[in-house]
Amino acid sequence: MSAQRLISNRTFQQSVSNSDYTWEYEYYEIGPVSFEGLKAHKYSIVIGFWVGLAVFVIFMFFVLTLLTKTGAPHQDNVESSEKRFRMNSFVSDFGKPLDPDKVFSHQGNEESRSLFHCYINEVEHLDRAKVCHQTTAVDNDAQLQEAIRGSRRAEEELNRLMKFDIPNFVNTDQNSFGEDDLLISEPPIVLENKPVSQSSHKDLD
Amino acid sequence: MKHIIHTNGNVNGTARNTSDCPHVALPEEMFFIISIAGVLENLIILLAVIKNKTLQSPMYLFVCSLAVSDMLGSLYKIVENILIMFRNMGYLKPRGSFEATADDIIDTMFILSLLGSIFSLLAIAVDRYITIFHALQYHSIVTTRRTIATLAVIWTFCIGSGIAMVIFSHHVPTVLTFASLFPLMLVFILCLYVHMFLLARSHVRNISTLPRANMRGAITLTILLGVFIFCWAPFILHILLMTFCPRNPYCTCYMSLFQVNGMLIMCNGVIDPFIYAFRSPELRGAFRRMISYC
């Protein structure tokens, strides 16, 4: 901005010596810009910029859509069909898959937390009974950390299984019945004829 | 910014050939309406989070930080318009010392809003990333105390950078630093979200959903990033052109659209609550309760 000031100061002095310009409101004006001899259209930067931006966003959208069709192969190779079945049954039992946001952000969510840890127990089929028993209280992070630290492999497997939710938008992905508005859709509430899911949703709310 | 205050008024008495690319002037009422809408929306979000104990979790603190920076941006526009109106009515001198100081202060506010917005979006993306990939340790990694400390560091850095940038605004490295923050941040956020998206998509596929659900995720992500890009990129290009080619006729024609670019930043402050804050059902419920009490 002071570069402009310098330029306008210089032109100011020239113009004072020349003639009758009033520079009072031209303090930050750049000075005469000649528009002769333009090879391209004068708004070419504007048009080029906006077209480039639109192309970039559309390209990004197509890349994301392509990702939905082909996906990340390494994710599928690791998960066995058995775990997939367990995941499906978990989801259908509890209606809405656990939202890590709700589980970890709301202190008073005892029930969902205990459900969560019982799920760990159920899925892992390891000696995780202590995890389930110990963690029915609200703030048992330390004990949970101990139990989890006890077996890294179980935790990694659980991470893979639990990674099905993104705050604020994967909820809409789960709602395969929804034809709601893109941005402001409610998270999926129930799958069909699952009264358990309704009560768990009310608790989570 | 400075040249807006001084060129928005009566540009007269010049023999310069500006008729080819006249400055596009938007009506002030439009600026006022959009700025006031932005301030009100973000104020509602702040009130909802402050009044509700259950909403005081790290995720919502980051959303609050975004709301504060959007509100600062809208306030900047309101204050600037008021100063321009005073200048047009003759209460202010075009080059007085008070005006220059006021100009610097509101420039600082503007840069603060920009930087705050950028870092808040980054913090929200990182928070979501930790939620997904470190789901079990989330509660011990992202505690409320650490969140507040992170936000304090972010805002101190933004205030310091804002003051430094206004003081050194005429140096080229300042402009380059400022302009390069934007693409760096964009690339980083893009990587985070794409990684999260891949994981969500791979899980969702296992639960036999319609392909439409995956399409919706892609659309949501495109909207999140697209709004950010569309609102910020025009202004960033403007300051780059202003620094490097102020006398080029092509650049001048682009810079004649400065008010439109500024308007887009205001629109970002208005749209952001809808794509970040109001998508959360808890916040919507708190908002409805607030409305029903009034």
Side-chain angles (χ1 to χ4, degrees), chain A residues 5-26:
Chain A
R5 237 181 281 159
L6 287 173
I7 295 171
S8 65
N9 275 344
R10 262 185 261 125
T11 47
F12 176 80
Q13 276 154 23
Q14 283 173 4
S15 69
V16 161
S17 63
N18 282 347
S19 61
D20 40 340
Y21 288 91
T22 58
W23 284 96
E24 192 177 329
Y25 291 106
E26 310 289 340

PDB file of all heavy atoms in Angstrom, chain A residues 5-26:
ATOM      1  N   ARG A   5       1.352   4.660  -2.385  1.00  0.00           N
ATOM      2  CA  ARG A   5       1.536   6.018  -1.874  1.00  0.00           C
ATOM      3  C   ARG A   5       2.693   6.687  -2.580  1.00  0.00           C
ATOM      4  O   ARG A   5       2.618   7.835  -2.963  1.00  0.00           O
ATOM      5  CB  ARG A   5       1.846   5.937  -0.383  1.00  0.00           C
ATOM      6  CG  ARG A   5       0.885   6.716   0.483  1.00  0.00           C
ATOM      7  CD  ARG A   5       1.243   6.611   1.913  1.00  0.00           C
ATOM      8  NE  ARG A   5       0.795   5.348   2.493  1.00  0.00           N
ATOM      9  CZ  ARG A   5       1.297   4.812   3.590  1.00  0.00           C
ATOM     10  NH1 ARG A   5       2.237   5.429   4.241  1.00  0.00           N
ATOM     11  NH2 ARG A   5       0.853   3.665   4.050  1.00  0.00           N
ATOM     12  N   LEU A   6       3.816   5.932  -2.762  1.00  0.00           N
ATOM     13  CA  LEU A   6       4.980   6.517  -3.408  1.00  0.00           C
ATOM     14  C   LEU A   6       4.648   6.928  -4.839  1.00  0.00           C
ATOM     15  O   LEU A   6       4.985   7.996  -5.292  1.00  0.00           O
ATOM     16  CB  LEU A   6       6.124   5.505  -3.421  1.00  0.00           C
ATOM     17  CG  LEU A   6       6.805   5.270  -2.056  1.00  0.00           C
ATOM     18  CD1 LEU A   6       7.795   4.137  -2.180  1.00  0.00           C
ATOM     19  CD2 LEU A   6       7.508   6.535  -1.615  1.00  0.00           C
ATOM     20  N   ILE A   7       3.945   6.024  -5.535  1.00  0.00           N
ATOM     21  CA  ILE A   7       3.631   6.316  -6.934  1.00  0.00           C
ATOM     22  C   ILE A   7       2.750   7.551  -7.010  1.00  0.00           C
ATOM     23  O   ILE A   7       2.955   8.432  -7.811  1.00  0.00           O
ATOM     24  CB  ILE A   7       2.935   5.110  -7.580  1.00  0.00           C
ATOM     25  CG1 ILE A   7       3.910   3.933  -7.628  1.00  0.00           C
ATOM     26  CG2 ILE A   7       2.464   5.453  -8.962  1.00  0.00           C
ATOM     27  CD1 ILE A   7       3.263   2.660  -8.033  1.00  0.00           C
ATOM     28  N   SER A   8       1.759   7.597  -6.120  1.00  0.00           N
ATOM     29  CA  SER A   8       0.849   8.734  -6.221  1.00  0.00           C
ATOM     30  C   SER A   8       1.552  10.009  -5.814  1.00  0.00           C
ATOM     31  O   SER A   8       1.252  11.072  -6.313  1.00  0.00           O
ATOM     32  CB  SER A   8      -0.392   8.491  -5.365  1.00  0.00           C
ATOM     33  OG  SER A   8      -0.017   8.429  -4.022  1.00  0.00           O
ATOM     34  N   ASN A   9       2.522   9.908  -4.888  1.00  0.00           N
ATOM     35  CA  ASN A   9       3.260  11.118  -4.519  1.00  0.00           C
ATOM     36  C   ASN A   9       4.036  11.648  -5.711  1.00  0.00           C
ATOM     37  O   ASN A   9       4.070  12.836  -5.983  1.00  0.00           O
ATOM     38  CB  ASN A   9       4.233  10.816  -3.377  1.00  0.00           C
ATOM     39  CG  ASN A   9       3.536  10.907  -2.034  1.00  0.00           C
ATOM     40  OD1 ASN A   9       2.451  11.478  -1.957  1.00  0.00           O
ATOM     41  ND2 ASN A   9       4.130  10.366  -1.006  1.00  0.00           N
ATOM     42  N   ARG A  10       4.666  10.705  -6.426  1.00  0.00           N
ATOM     43  CA  ARG A  10       5.456  11.138  -7.574  1.00  0.00           C
ATOM     44  C   ARG A  10       4.571  11.793  -8.621  1.00  0.00           C
ATOM     45  O   ARG A  10       4.859  12.847  -9.148  1.00  0.00           O
ATOM     46  CB  ARG A  10       6.174   9.939  -8.191  1.00  0.00           C
ATOM     47  CG  ARG A  10       7.616   9.823  -7.713  1.00  0.00           C
ATOM     48  CD  ARG A  10       8.339   8.710  -8.412  1.00  0.00           C
ATOM     49  NE  ARG A  10       8.369   7.514  -7.585  1.00  0.00           N
ATOM     50  CZ  ARG A  10       7.922   6.336  -7.980  1.00  0.00           C
ATOM     51  NH1 ARG A  10       7.429   6.157  -9.172  1.00  0.00           N
ATOM     52  NH2 ARG A  10       7.960   5.302  -7.174  1.00  0.00           N
ATOM     53  N   THR A  11       3.454  11.145  -8.922  1.00  0.00           N
ATOM     54  CA  THR A  11       2.586  11.697  -9.965  1.00  0.00           C
ATOM     55  C   THR A  11       1.955  13.001  -9.497  1.00  0.00           C
ATOM     56  O   THR A  11       1.675  13.874 -10.277  1.00  0.00           O
ATOM     57  CB  THR A  11       1.492  10.701 -10.341  1.00  0.00           C
ATOM     58  OG1 THR A  11       0.926  10.195  -9.138  1.00  0.00           O
ATOM     59  CG2 THR A  11       2.069   9.561 -11.141  1.00  0.00           C
ATOM     60  N   PHE A  12       1.772  13.086  -8.170  1.00  0.00           N
ATOM     61  CA  PHE A  12       1.208  14.321  -7.638  1.00  0.00           C
ATOM     62  C   PHE A  12       2.131  15.482  -7.968  1.00  0.00           C
ATOM     63  O   PHE A  12       1.697  16.543  -8.407  1.00  0.00           O
ATOM     64  CB  PHE A  12       1.029  14.171  -6.135  1.00  0.00           C
ATOM     65  CG  PHE A  12       0.548  15.411  -5.441  1.00  0.00           C
ATOM     66  CD1 PHE A  12      -0.789  15.748  -5.463  1.00  0.00           C
ATOM     67  CD2 PHE A  12       1.434  16.240  -4.770  1.00  0.00           C
ATOM     68  CE1 PHE A  12      -1.251  16.879  -4.828  1.00  0.00           C
ATOM     69  CE2 PHE A  12       0.977  17.377  -4.143  1.00  0.00           C
ATOM     70  CZ  PHE A  12      -0.363  17.710  -4.166  1.00  0.00           C
ATOM     71  N   GLN A  13       3.425  15.248  -7.735  1.00  0.00           N
ATOM     72  CA  GLN A  13       4.348  16.350  -7.988  1.00  0.00           C
ATOM     73  C   GLN A  13       4.388  16.685  -9.477  1.00  0.00           C
ATOM     74  O   GLN A  13       4.449  17.837  -9.853  1.00  0.00           O
ATOM     75  CB  GLN A  13       5.747  15.990  -7.509  1.00  0.00           C
ATOM     76  CG  GLN A  13       5.908  16.265  -6.026  1.00  0.00           C
ATOM     77  CD  GLN A  13       6.963  15.388  -5.389  1.00  0.00           C
ATOM     78  OE1 GLN A  13       7.846  14.905  -6.095  1.00  0.00           O
ATOM     79  NE2 GLN A  13       6.888  15.202  -4.095  1.00  0.00           N
ATOM     80  N   GLN A  14       4.317  15.649 -10.317  1.00  0.00           N
ATOM     81  CA  GLN A  14       4.309  15.928 -11.755  1.00  0.00           C
ATOM     82  C   GLN A  14       3.093  16.749 -12.123  1.00  0.00           C
ATOM     83  O   GLN A  14       3.164  17.714 -12.857  1.00  0.00           O
ATOM     84  CB  GLN A  14       4.280  14.616 -12.533  1.00  0.00           C
ATOM     85  CG  GLN A  14       5.610  13.923 -12.595  1.00  0.00           C
ATOM     86  CD  GLN A  14       5.456  12.563 -13.232  1.00  0.00           C
ATOM     87  OE1 GLN A  14       4.369  12.201 -13.672  1.00  0.00           O
ATOM     88  NE2 GLN A  14       6.527  11.820 -13.276  1.00  0.00           N
ATOM     89  N   SER A  15       1.951  16.343 -11.578  1.00  0.00           N
ATOM     90  CA  SER A  15       0.727  16.999 -12.025  1.00  0.00           C
ATOM     91  C   SER A  15       0.664  18.429 -11.524  1.00  0.00           C
ATOM     92  O   SER A  15       0.124  19.301 -12.172  1.00  0.00           O
ATOM     93  CB  SER A  15      -0.480  16.214 -11.531  1.00  0.00           C
ATOM     94  OG  SER A  15      -0.557  16.338 -10.136  1.00  0.00           O
ATOM     95  N   VAL A  16       1.223  18.668 -10.320  1.00  0.00           N
ATOM     96  CA  VAL A  16       1.213  20.047  -9.825  1.00  0.00           C
ATOM     97  C   VAL A  16       1.999  20.937 -10.772  1.00  0.00           C
ATOM     98  O   VAL A  16       1.604  22.057 -11.088  1.00  0.00           O
ATOM     99  CB  VAL A  16       1.814  20.093  -8.404  1.00  0.00           C
ATOM    100  CG1 VAL A  16       2.246  21.500  -8.055  1.00  0.00           C
ATOM    101  CG2 VAL A  16       0.795  19.613  -7.389  1.00  0.00           C
ATOM    102  N   SER A  17       3.097  20.356 -11.279  1.00  0.00           N
ATOM    103  CA  SER A  17       3.882  21.186 -12.183  1.00  0.00           C
ATOM    104  C   SER A  17       3.159  21.320 -13.521  1.00  0.00           C
ATOM    105  O   SER A  17       3.350  22.277 -14.235  1.00  0.00           O
ATOM    106  CB  SER A  17       5.259  20.558 -12.384  1.00  0.00           C
ATOM    107  OG  SER A  17       5.098  19.296 -13.002  1.00  0.00           O
ATOM    108  N   ASN A  18       2.316  20.361 -13.889  1.00  0.00           N
ATOM    109  CA  ASN A  18       1.680  20.412 -15.201  1.00  0.00           C
ATOM    110  C   ASN A  18       0.487  21.351 -15.219  1.00  0.00           C
ATOM    111  O   ASN A  18       0.510  22.379 -15.856  1.00  0.00           O
ATOM    112  CB  ASN A  18       1.223  19.010 -15.630  1.00  0.00           C
ATOM    113  CG  ASN A  18       2.380  18.174 -16.132  1.00  0.00           C
ATOM    114  OD1 ASN A  18       3.453  18.715 -16.373  1.00  0.00           O
ATOM    115  ND2 ASN A  18       2.162  16.910 -16.287  1.00  0.00           N
ATOM    116  N   SER A  19      -0.596  20.918 -14.535  1.00  0.00           N
ATOM    117  CA  SER A  19      -1.825  21.698 -14.709  1.00  0.00           C
ATOM    118  C   SER A  19      -2.757  21.546 -13.522  1.00  0.00           C
ATOM    119  O   SER A  19      -2.364  21.430 -12.387  1.00  0.00           O
ATOM    120  CB  SER A  19      -2.517  21.264 -15.982  1.00  0.00           C
ATOM    121  OG  SER A  19      -2.843  19.928 -15.871  1.00  0.00           O
ATOM    122  N   ASP A  20      -4.013  21.539 -13.873  1.00  0.00           N
ATOM    123  CA  ASP A  20      -5.035  21.818 -12.888  1.00  0.00           C
ATOM    124  C   ASP A  20      -5.745  20.554 -12.420  1.00  0.00           C
ATOM    125  O   ASP A  20      -6.959  20.436 -12.516  1.00  0.00           O
ATOM    126  CB  ASP A  20      -6.048  22.764 -13.530  1.00  0.00           C
ATOM    127  CG  ASP A  20      -6.279  22.347 -14.982  1.00  0.00           C
ATOM    128  OD1 ASP A  20      -5.425  21.646 -15.541  1.00  0.00           O
ATOM    129  OD2 ASP A  20      -7.319  22.717 -15.542  1.00  0.00           O
ATOM    130  N   TYR A  21      -5.004  19.587 -11.966  1.00  0.00           N
ATOM    131  CA  TYR A  21      -5.648  18.404 -11.403  1.00  0.00           C
ATOM    132  C   TYR A  21      -5.939  18.656  -9.937  1.00  0.00           C
ATOM    133  O   TYR A  21      -5.188  19.314  -9.249  1.00  0.00           O
ATOM    134  CB  TYR A  21      -4.717  17.193 -11.499  1.00  0.00           C
ATOM    135  CG  TYR A  21      -4.546  16.677 -12.902  1.00  0.00           C
ATOM    136  CD1 TYR A  21      -3.524  17.136 -13.703  1.00  0.00           C
ATOM    137  CD2 TYR A  21      -5.421  15.731 -13.417  1.00  0.00           C
ATOM    138  CE1 TYR A  21      -3.359  16.667 -14.977  1.00  0.00           C
ATOM    139  CE2 TYR A  21      -5.269  15.263 -14.691  1.00  0.00           C
ATOM    140  CZ  TYR A  21      -4.240  15.735 -15.477  1.00  0.00           C
ATOM    141  OH  TYR A  21      -4.078  15.269 -16.729  1.00  0.00           O
ATOM    142  N   THR A  22      -7.009  18.097  -9.507  1.00  0.00           N
ATOM    143  CA  THR A  22      -7.252  18.128  -8.063  1.00  0.00           C
ATOM    144  C   THR A  22      -7.020  16.714  -7.541  1.00  0.00           C
ATOM    145  O   THR A  22      -7.711  15.766  -7.908  1.00  0.00           O
ATOM    146  CB  THR A  22      -8.701  18.537  -7.759  1.00  0.00           C
ATOM    147  OG1 THR A  22      -9.564  17.612  -8.410  1.00  0.00           O
ATOM    148  CG2 THR A  22      -8.972  19.934  -8.249  1.00  0.00           C
ATOM    149  N   TRP A  23      -6.029  16.590  -6.689  1.00  0.00           N
ATOM    150  CA  TRP A  23      -5.661  15.264  -6.208  1.00  0.00           C
ATOM    151  C   TRP A  23      -6.202  14.981  -4.825  1.00  0.00           C
ATOM    152  O   TRP A  23      -5.782  14.076  -4.164  1.00  0.00           O
ATOM    153  CB  TRP A  23      -4.135  15.127  -6.177  1.00  0.00           C
ATOM    154  CG  TRP A  23      -3.571  14.928  -7.547  1.00  0.00           C
ATOM    155  CD1 TRP A  23      -3.067  15.893  -8.351  1.00  0.00           C
ATOM    156  CD2 TRP A  23      -3.507  13.704  -8.257  1.00  0.00           C
ATOM    157  NE1 TRP A  23      -2.667  15.350  -9.525  1.00  0.00           N
ATOM    158  CE2 TRP A  23      -2.921  14.011  -9.506  1.00  0.00           C
ATOM    159  CE3 TRP A  23      -3.864  12.394  -7.970  1.00  0.00           C
ATOM    160  CZ2 TRP A  23      -2.705  13.037 -10.465  1.00  0.00           C
ATOM    161  CZ3 TRP A  23      -3.635  11.425  -8.917  1.00  0.00           C
ATOM    162  CH2 TRP A  23      -3.050  11.761 -10.171  1.00  0.00           C
ATOM    163  N   GLU A  24      -7.120  15.783  -4.381  1.00  0.00           N
ATOM    164  CA  GLU A  24      -7.524  15.650  -2.982  1.00  0.00           C
ATOM    165  C   GLU A  24      -8.061  14.255  -2.663  1.00  0.00           C
ATOM    166  O   GLU A  24      -7.766  13.692  -1.635  1.00  0.00           O
ATOM    167  CB  GLU A  24      -8.591  16.701  -2.683  1.00  0.00           C
ATOM    168  CG  GLU A  24      -8.859  16.817  -1.195  1.00  0.00           C
ATOM    169  CD  GLU A  24      -9.856  17.909  -0.919  1.00  0.00           C
ATOM    170  OE1 GLU A  24      -9.868  18.885  -1.688  1.00  0.00           O
ATOM    171  OE2 GLU A  24     -10.620  17.767   0.051  1.00  0.00           O
ATOM    172  N   TYR A  25      -8.860  13.691  -3.542  1.00  0.00           N
ATOM    173  CA  TYR A  25      -9.412  12.381  -3.266  1.00  0.00           C
ATOM    174  C   TYR A  25      -8.614  11.269  -3.909  1.00  0.00           C
ATOM    175  O   TYR A  25      -9.043  10.144  -3.896  1.00  0.00           O
ATOM    176  CB  TYR A  25     -10.853  12.300  -3.757  1.00  0.00           C
ATOM    177  CG  TYR A  25     -11.771  13.156  -2.954  1.00  0.00           C
ATOM    178  CD1 TYR A  25     -12.261  14.348  -3.472  1.00  0.00           C
ATOM    179  CD2 TYR A  25     -12.128  12.800  -1.659  1.00  0.00           C
ATOM    180  CE1 TYR A  25     -13.086  15.143  -2.728  1.00  0.00           C
ATOM    181  CE2 TYR A  25     -12.952  13.594  -0.921  1.00  0.00           C
ATOM    182  CZ  TYR A  25     -13.427  14.765  -1.448  1.00  0.00           C
ATOM    183  OH  TYR A  25     -14.253  15.558  -0.709  1.00  0.00           O
ATOM    184  N   GLU A  26      -7.477  11.606  -4.480  1.00  0.00           N
ATOM    185  CA  GLU A  26      -6.744  10.598  -5.232  1.00  0.00           C
ATOM    186  C   GLU A  26      -5.540  10.102  -4.463  1.00  0.00           C
ATOM    187  O   GLU A  26      -4.585   9.649  -5.041  1.00  0.00           O
ATOM    188  CB  GLU A  26      -6.258  11.189  -6.565  1.00  0.00           C
ATOM    189  CG  GLU A  26      -7.321  11.880  -7.354  1.00  0.00           C
ATOM    190  CD  GLU A  26      -8.309  10.892  -7.938  1.00  0.00           C
ATOM    191  OE1 GLU A  26      -7.958   9.704  -8.043  1.00  0.00           O
ATOM    192  OE2 GLU A  26      -9.414  11.305  -8.289  1.00  0.00           O
TER     193      GLU A  26
END
